[in-house]
């Protein structure tokens, strides 16, 4: 199974304020291809939150001359559909950013399946970890990476998915799962997920 790890870094609280993108195509712990971009912010929301800059270390000056989101979108979209599944850690955040950016720029994409390694980690590893942050889960699996670098986070997330699925194969999941968990249940069992992405 090929999965595409995805990570966005943002400049502020606006969902279209993506300032960095990382995507990694991974199969059985081998990285097959990667893409990363710095992204210039739309003029109307071109400001950097001190908190966000402290997290990822990207400044507005770093974005000077970078492409705007519509310019990277054709390649990013092709990349997202290059695997069997898109995976992100705390996928609600990344999907919100993607939806926000597509809506802001009037862009669309076709459906694709995605999963959330944060939710999977909580379900599979439970209280064996003090928390389920990306770096904590990576440490548990002996994966080294540079946290809050979009490409490193994306590749790490994709590798974590493989580790989690290996553990999940031996577990039994309740039929009462609902919502996103209902989507993950057949995926874990059969590696054939239903489509979870629904463009607005």
């Amino acid at each position: 199974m090929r999965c595409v790890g995805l990570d966005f870094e943002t400049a502020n609280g606006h969902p279209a304020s993506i300032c960095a993108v990382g995507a990694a195509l991974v199969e059985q712990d081998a990285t097959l291809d990667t893409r990363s971009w710095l992204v210039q912010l739309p003029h109307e929301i071109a400001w950097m939150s001190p908190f966000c800059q402290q997290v990822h270390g990207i400044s507005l000056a770093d974005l000077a001359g970078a492409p705007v989101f519509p310019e990277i979108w054709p390649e990013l979209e092709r990349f997202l559909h290059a695997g069997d599944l898109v995976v992100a850690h705390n996928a609600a955040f990344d999907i919100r950013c993607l939806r926000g950016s597509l809506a802001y720029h009037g862009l669309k994409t076709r459906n694709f399946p995605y999963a959330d390694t944060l939710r999977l980690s909580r379900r599979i590893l439970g209280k064996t970890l003090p928390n389920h942050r990306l770096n904590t889960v990576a440490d548990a699996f002996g994966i080294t990476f540079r946290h809050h670098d979009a490409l490193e986070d994306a590749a790490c997330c994709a590798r974590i998915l493989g580790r989690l699925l290996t553990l999940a194969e031996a577990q039994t999941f309740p039929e009462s799962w609902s919502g996103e968990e209902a989507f993950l249940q057949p995926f874990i069992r059969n590696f054939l997920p239903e489509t979870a992405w629904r463009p607005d």
Side-chain angles (χ1 to χ4, degrees):
M1 181 190 70
R2 294 185 173 192
C3 69
V4 177
L6 177 66
D7 184 73
F8 295 122
E9 300 294 334
T10 56
N12 55 63
H14 195 289
S17 70
I18 292 172
C19 61
V21 181
L25 180 63
V26 173
E27 183 175 21
Q28 296 180 347
D29 209 35
T31 302
L32 305 180
D33 198 5
T34 62
R35 293 288 187 277
S36 64
W37 299 267
L38 289 177
V39 182
Q40 191 170 160
L41 299 168
H43 178 72
E44 296 82 1
I45 53 173
W47 60 278
M48 184 68 69
S49 156
F51 172 78
C52 291
Q53 185 169 349
Q54 183 178 13
V55 168
H56 51 56
I58 299 169
S59 69
L60 287 179
D62 294 325
L63 305 179
V68 293
F69 188 83
E71 292 175 316
I72 73 162
W73 174 239
E75 188 175 3
L76 175 58
E77 182 181 31
R78 285 194 297 271
F79 206 81
L80 292 179
H81 294 285
D84 304 301
L85 179 79
V86 172
V87 60
H89 200 76
N90 190 17
F93 170 81
D94 296 282
I95 295 301
R96 175 177 173 268
C97 290
L98 182 56
R99 288 188 190 280
S101 293
L102 293 178
Y104 188 93
H105 296 288
L107 303 169
K108 296 182 181 298
T109 189
R110 66 186 189 275
N111 293 350
F112 61 81
Y114 71 89
D116 184 350
T117 49
L118 174 61
R119 293 177 67 89
L120 277 173
S121 178
R122 287 172 174 165
R123 175 64 63 175
I124 295 166
L125 299 178
K127 294 182 179 179
T128 63
L129 296 180
N131 60 67
H132 296 272
R133 299 185 187 102
L134 183 62
N135 57 322
T136 303
V137 181
D139 286 346
F141 288 123
I143 299 171
T144 58
F145 74 115
R146 189 167 64 256
H147 200 12
H148 296 303
D149 175 282
L151 180 55
E152 295 258 339
D153 284 3
C156 178
C157 180
R159 294 177 65 194
I160 283 173
L161 178 67
R163 307 293 211 285
L164 290 172
L165 292 179
T166 297
L167 293 177
E169 286 185 83
Q171 296 188 21
T172 301
F173 294 90
E175 298 297 335
S176 61
W177 278 18
S178 62
E180 184 182 4
E181 292 174 341
F183 158 70
L184 293 173
Q185 184 180 15
F187 169 64
I188 290 171
R189 288 179 172 171
N190 306 317
F191 301 95
L192 292 173
E194 299 174 5
T195 298
W197 168 265
R198 291 288 189 272
D200 293 332

